[in-house]
Amino acid sequence: MTATLLPPTIEHEMLGTMRVPGYADVTAAAERLAPHVRRTMLLRSPVLDERAQAPIWLKLENLQVTGSFKARGAFNALLNMDAAQRARGVVAYSTGNHGQAVAWASRCLGVPATIVMPVDAPENKVEKALRHGAKVVRYDRLRESREAIGMRLLAETGATLLPPGDHPDVLAAQGTLALEALQDLPAAARESLGLFATPCGGGGMAAGCSLVLRELAPQARMVAVEPREYDDTVRSLASGKRESNPAGAKTICDALQAATPAELPYAINSRSLSAAVSVSDAEVAAAIRFALDELRLVVEPGGAVALAALLAGHISADGRDAVIVLSGGNIDLPLLRQIALE
């Protein structure tokens, strides 16, 4: 799919009740977040460069506070709420990383938080949300609707919903990781950048990063990577409309189990992504082992899909500099042990 830039008129207009953010919102979020989140490093590996036959720069969001890039969006959204909204609290639904991030940000700012999480969410992610002081409500994703549960909680408490993707403050803040990466690249690498690849669930990170790419490196291809069983963005780009994943689909990439592309991210991604590709669970496991063995990094399945796509040959840097985002490191130890020993 050939990338096309967003028409200038879409930025700052409304998509339903949501304002579509732009590059200025990303830079404002970066300034707002600087005292609170880590400026994660870029890492080069001679072994990876040799495998890819190109200079590869890994953006290490697996080392971010709370263990994933989600800390950026959660904290920015809470900072932009007024005092009355914060006092009433927030409700978030999450498979894990967004919930942890909201719980952490809420604790930092003294905001009551309730996280709606599926019963099959990794227990380490549930425990960390609880550790940060959030209330956790569990649900069965096959028989219950997290959105319906969230709406009930909002009606009962008067809290504000903080979704993982469909929120302009969340989306703009996720783009700050691309802003950091491009600012930290050597000038020559930034000018020759040919590829920027991110994991993709609901699409918020890809959409936020694309706002930065088109401003600072418009020559680079923006690629989103999904698990093969949750390839809704791949199919949505092909059909021209938001597609859904089948109920009961399974993947080890728990962080990327979105039912369908989020509305606001898709409005951006449908115009700005160069491509979306999918990877198998076996390819993800191989990427996790590569990160552990060659890079000495712990990466969770959902955080490793872009690296998996590169290692498996589904995306290519074509000999040019590339940025690959490792978006999270919150993997259950039993799963890590199982993958490491395969």
Side-chain angles (χ1 to χ4, degrees):
M1 180 177 179
T2 302
T4 56
L5 299 184
L6 281 172
T9 54
I10 194 172
E11 285 190 3
H12 306 298
E13 290 188 357
M14 302 299 290
L15 180 68
T17 60
M18 292 178 287
R19 183 177 62 85
V20 180
Y23 177 70
D25 297 290
V26 179
T27 58
E31 183 175 353
R32 199 177 294 120
L33 289 172
H36 307 290
V37 303
R38 291 177 186 150
R39 188 182 185 97
T40 56
M41 66 180 288
L42 291 173
L43 178 70
R44 285 279 299 280
S45 160
V47 175
L48 183 57
D49 286 359
E50 177 65 24
R51 284 278 297 269
Q53 290 294 290
I56 306 298
W57 304 83
L58 298 172
K59 178 63 170 168
L60 303 188
E61 286 295 289
N62 57 313
L63 303 182
Q64 184 56 263
V65 292
T66 76
S68 87
F69 77 102
K70 293 286 189 179
R72 298 173 183 269
F75 213 98
N76 189 52
L78 284 175
L79 285 174
N80 275 347
M81 291 181 184
D82 60 36
Q85 284 179 301
R86 291 186 197 174
R88 291 192 297 270
V90 294
V91 171
Y93 42 80
S94 169
T95 54
N97 284 335
H98 178 62
Q100 283 186 75
V102 171
W104 164 76
S106 295
R107 179 178 60 82
C108 291
L109 296 172
V111 177
T114 301
I115 315 299
V116 181
M117 303 180 76
V119 293
D120 59 347
E123 287 304 317
N124 67 320
K125 296 183 177 181
V126 177
E127 290 169 6
K128 288 176 182 176
L130 291 168
R131 193 184 307 162
H132 287 305
K135 177 183 178 182
V136 174
V137 175
R138 309 296 292 271
Y139 73 99
D140 184 334
R141 71 168 85 223
L142 296 180
R143 292 194 291 268
E144 298 177 283
S145 164
R146 67 181 189 178
E147 288 81 4
I149 294 170
M151 291 302 106
R152 174 176 56 80
L153 292 169
L154 294 179
E156 292 173 355
T157 64
T160 298
L161 179 66
L162 189 51
D166 268 332
H167 194 296
D169 293 333
V170 172
L171 191 154
Q174 314 305 32
T176 62
L177 73 90
L179 183 64
E180 290 176 4
L182 293 184
Q183 289 173 340
D184 292 347
L185 281 174
R190 184 168 61 251
E191 291 169 6
S192 71
L193 188 68
L195 172 68
F196 194 105
T198 71
C200 183
M205 174 168 46
C209 290
S210 72
L211 299 177
V212 176
L213 263 288
R214 69 173 192 189
E215 186 75 21
L216 300 183
Q219 80 285 355
R221 291 175 294 122
M222 181 73 205
V223 177
V225 185
E226 299 178 299
R228 189 151 296 162
E229 300 303 319
Y230 279 81
D231 65 344
D232 45 296
T233 295
V234 173
R235 289 181 287 110
S236 296
L237 293 182
S239 71
K241 63 180 182 179
R242 291 163 67 213
E243 301 286 352
S244 298
N245 294 307
K250 299 292 185 181
T251 177
I252 62 172
C253 303
D254 61 275
L256 303 181
Q257 291 178 308
T260 187
E263 185 180 7
L264 178 58
Y266 182 69
I268 296 173
N269 288 334
S270 62
R271 294 169 170 87
S272 61
L273 286 179
S274 300
V277 301
S278 66
V279 291
S280 70
D281 280 0
E283 290 165 339
V284 171
I288 292 171
R289 286 192 295 273
F290 179 90
L292 193 62
D293 188 40
E294 296 291 348
L295 308 174
R296 297 298 185 258
L297 292 173
V298 173
V299 187
E300 67 181 283
V305 292
L307 177 61
L310 181 71
L311 293 173
H314 299 305
I315 56 176
S316 171
D318 296 325
R320 300 170 65 184
D321 288 86
V323 172
I324 304 294
V325 179
L326 304 182
S327 60
N330 295 315
I331 184 171
D332 258 342
L333 287 180
L335 177 59
L336 179 61
R337 186 180 303 111
Q338 174 187 330
I339 289 173
L341 295 177
E342 285 178 352

